[in-house]
Amino acid sequence: MTQGSYKQFCPVAMAAEVLSTRWTIVLLRELLAGSTRFNDLRRGVPRMSPALLSQRLKDLEAAGVVRRSGSGPESGEYHLTPAGHELGPVVMAFGHWGQRWIRSELSLQHLDVQLLMWDMRRNLNPAPMPRQRSVIHFQYPELKQPERAWWLLVDPRSGTDLCSIDPGFDVDLYVTTDLKTMTAIWMGLDNVRKAQTDKRLMLTGDRALARDIGTWLGLSPFAKKAALAG
Amino acid sequence: MTQGSYKQFCPVAMAAEVLSTRWTIVLLRELLAGSTRFNDLRRGVPRMSPALLSQRLKDLEAAGVVRRSGSGPESGEYHLTPAGHELGPVVMAFGHWGQRWIRSELSLQHLDVQLLMWDMRRNLNPAPMPRQRSVIHFQYPELKQPERAWWLLVDPRSGTDLCSIDPGFDVDLYVTTDLKTMTAIWMGLDNVRKAQTDKRLMLTGDRALARDIGTWLGLSPFAKKAALAG
DNA sequence: CGGGATCCGTAAAGATACTG
DNA sequence: CAGTATCTTTACGGATCCCG
C-alpha cells in the first residue's frame, strides 16, 4: 500500500491494504488470465496509465504476489507467485457478485471491442472445430475503421490468433452484429439464436460452423449458463 | 462511486468500482459482523474519518449494498441489503488469503486492544458456560489505564457485554496476559496452553472456566483450527 | 452522546508527452 | 517494448465544529 495502513490486525484489513487499491483487482484479473508482459497488461487494462501500472506491479512484487523474471527470453515478464495464484478465489468472488448484482445496463455502458475480442480469443474452444484452420470474420458495421473488422484464426493444432487487419485468408464464417449484442452474448445476458431471430446478428458461410457456434464460442467465466440455452 | 470508472464491461471491474475503494472492504466486514449504527461502525474502523465513513455509507447505499432505516427506534441504522449480505464470500476471500499469505509479524504490528476485545465479545460462545452470569476480567499490565482492564459479562440467557470500567461484580476468572499474546491466540497463531506454559498468560479463579477456555473463547473467523489444538 | 458537516493540507491518480 | 517525467485533478486524513 502506498498510503498509510489501516492499522488493523484483522486479516481482512491486511489483505485489503494490498488488494483494495485502485486498479489492483482488475490488474490481477488480467494476470490470472495469463498476461505476463507489460504491454499485454496495458491492453487488458487500457485505461490504466503506464505510470500507475508500473507502480502497481512494483507494489505487488513487494507484497509477494508477482515476481519479475529477469533472465533469458522471458526477461521482463511478470509471473504470479503461489500467493498470487491463490488470489483466484478473490477475483472470482468479485466477478460473481458483479454478475449477479450490477445492473446489466450499467455494464453495457462500457463497451470496448478490443477488450471483448481479446477475451473471446482467450476463451474460445477449438476442440469442436474443424481440424484445419478456420477463419471467422467479425464485422461491426456501426464502428469506424480500425475497430470495425476482426479476424479470428483458429487452428486446433497451433492455437488461436486475433487480427484487426485482414490476414488475407479465405473466410469460413462471417459474424455480422453490433457491439452491444456481441458483448451481451459474451456476458451471458443474451444468446446467439435470439439475436439471430431479432436480426441483431447474422451468420453467413460454413453451415456446420454456424450451427455449432454455441459450442466453440467461449463465454465470459461469469456468464450464466442458463441464458445460452434459450 | 465518487471516483471515475474503469470503463470495463467485465463484472470484476464493475464490482471493483463499488468495492475496491479505500476502507470499503473493512467497512463491509464490520457491517457483515452486525454493526448498524454510525458510531458502532466508527468503533470497528477507528482510523477511518467520520467524513469518509459517511461518504462510503452513501456510496454503498447508492450501489444498493446498504439501506438506511428511516423510521421508528432504528432510525439512522444501516442495514445490508440482500446484495450486501452476498458480499460475505468476497470479504471471507480477503480474510482467508490474508490469513494465509500476510506474514504474521506484520499483522501483529497493528495491535488494538479495543478492536480485539470487541471481536472477542462478538465471537464468544456462552453455550458451554455456567447458566448464571460469569464475569471474566482481562488484565493487560503493560497497557495504560483506560486500556488495561476489561470485563466480559457473559450470561447465556441475555447475551454478552463488554466493559472497560469496573461493573462492580465479583470476578469468576482473571485472565492476565499481554496484548500481543492475546491477539496471536485470537488469530490462531498461538494457543492458551502454550502461552500458559511460557508464562505469557495466567488464568486464576474458577477452575472449570479456566479448563474450558478453549471451548467458550471464540477465535477469529479466519483462525486456523490447528493452532489451538496444541 | 449520536450523527454527522466543513475546511484545509497532503497524497494518489489521470492525461499526455517523452525516452532508453 | 517497456517504461519515466510532468502537470493537473481528485481523493483522503485530520482537526474542528455543528445540531438535535
Side-chain angles (χ1 to χ4, degrees), chain A residues 1 3-23 25-26 29 44-47 65 82-83 86-87 89-91 93-95 97-102 106-107 110-112 115-116 119 183 186-187 222, chain B residues 3-23 25-26 29 44-47 65 82-83 86-87 89-91 93-95 97-102 106-107 110-112 115-116 119 183 186-187 220 222:
Chain A
M1 188 74 195
Q3 58 192 24
S5 115
Y6 297 140
K7 303 269 176 66
Q8 292 198 192
F9 55 84
C10 170
V12 173
M14 297 303 295
E17 284 186 32
V18 175
L19 306 175
S20 212
T21 47
R22 189 153 166 75
W23 284 110
I25 291 288
V26 184
R29 163 191 166 276
V45 284
R47 302 191 50 93
V65 170
E86 288 196 21
L87 286 169
V90 173
V91 173
F94 269 70
W97 186 86
Q99 173 81 16
R100 188 158 155 69
W101 291 105
I102 304 281
L106 257 64
S107 289
H110 302 305
L111 304 175
D112 184 318
L115 240 32
L116 175 67
D119 276 353
T183 304
W186 163 253
M187 295 182 64
F222 307 105
Chain B
Q3 57 193 25
S5 118
Y6 296 140
K7 304 269 176 64
Q8 290 200 195
F9 54 84
C10 170
V12 174
M14 297 302 295
E17 285 187 30
V18 175
L19 305 175
S20 215
T21 48
R22 189 153 166 74
W23 283 110
I25 291 288
V26 184
R29 163 189 167 276
V45 284
R47 301 189 51 94
V65 170
E86 289 196 21
L87 286 168
V90 174
V91 173
F94 269 70
W97 187 86
Q99 174 81 15
R100 188 158 155 69
W101 292 104
I102 304 280
L106 257 64
S107 289
H110 302 306
L111 303 175
D112 184 319
L115 241 32
L116 174 67
D119 277 353
T183 304
W186 163 254
M187 294 183 64
S220 153
F222 307 106

Side-chain angles (χ1 to χ4, degrees), chain B residues 110-161:
Chain B
H110 302 306
L111 303 175
D112 184 319
V113 69
Q114 194 184 192
L115 241 32
L116 174 67
M117 294 308 298
W118 198 262
D119 277 353
M120 284 178 49
R121 192 212 88 134
R122 208 149 42 193
N123 276 45
L124 190 137
N125 175 21
M129 299 185 74
R131 289 263 256 314
Q132 71 280 24
R133 183 187 56 225
S134 305
V135 178
I136 299 138
H137 182 192
F138 285 79
Q139 299 178 106
Y140 299 98
E142 40 159 354
L143 301 183
K144 299 199 201 318
Q145 211 14 260
E147 304 196 316
R148 183 196 296 249
W150 301 81
W151 286 263
L152 276 174
L153 314 182
V154 188
D155 188 326
R157 298 159 300 186
S158 61
T160 303
D161 275 334

Side-chain angles (χ1 to χ4, degrees), chain A residues 19-72:
Chain A
L19 306 175
S20 212
T21 47
R22 189 153 166 75
W23 284 110
T24 303
I25 291 288
V26 184
L27 171 57
L28 283 168
R29 163 191 166 276
E30 198 58 25
L31 285 161
L32 285 160
S35 298
T36 59
R37 308 210 69 106
F38 192 87
N39 283 350
D40 289 346
L41 293 167
R42 286 195 67 179
R43 188 195 29 66
V45 284
R47 302 191 50 93
M48 186 179 190
S49 77
L52 188 55
L53 174 55
S54 175
Q55 178 65 47
R56 281 290 178 274
L57 288 167
K58 284 173 188 161
D59 294 344
L60 290 175
E61 190 178 12
V65 170
V66 303
R67 206 191 50 236
R68 300 191 61 162
S69 10
S71 65

Side-chain angles (χ1 to χ4, degrees), chain A residues 84-203:
Chain A
H85 283 290
E86 288 196 21
L87 286 169
V90 173
V91 173
M92 292 299 285
F94 269 70
H96 286 305
W97 186 86
Q99 173 81 16
R100 188 158 155 69
W101 291 105
I102 304 281
R103 300 170 55 80
S104 53
E105 310 94 85
L106 257 64
S107 289
L108 294 177
Q109 277 171 16
H110 302 305
L111 304 175
D112 184 318
V113 70
Q114 194 184 188
L115 240 32
L116 175 67
M117 295 307 298
W118 198 261
D119 276 353
M120 284 176 49
R121 192 212 86 135
R122 207 150 40 193
N123 276 48
L124 191 136
N125 175 20
M129 298 185 76
R131 288 261 257 315
Q132 71 280 24
R133 182 186 56 223
S134 306
V135 177
I136 300 138
H137 182 192
F138 285 79
Q139 299 177 107
Y140 299 98
E142 40 159 353
L143 301 183
K144 299 199 200 318
Q145 210 15 260
E147 305 197 315
R148 184 196 295 249
W150 301 81
W151 288 261
L152 276 173
L153 314 182
V154 189
D155 190 326
R157 298 159 300 187
S158 61
T160 305
D161 274 335
L162 173 67
C163 314
S164 64
I165 56 166
D166 190 345
F169 297 121
D170 285 349
V171 171
D172 297 291
L173 182 70
Y174 293 84
V175 182
T176 308
T177 184
D178 63 284
L179 179 53
K180 188 169 181 174
T181 295
M182 197 63 236
T183 304
I185 291 171
W186 163 253
M187 295 182 64
L189 302 167
D190 196 354
N191 66 71
V192 173
R193 298 299 167 231
K194 195 142 73 73
Q196 274 186 297
T197 307
D198 299 351
K199 311 279 191 213
R200 289 178 288 111
L201 180 144
M202 271 168 300
L203 299 176

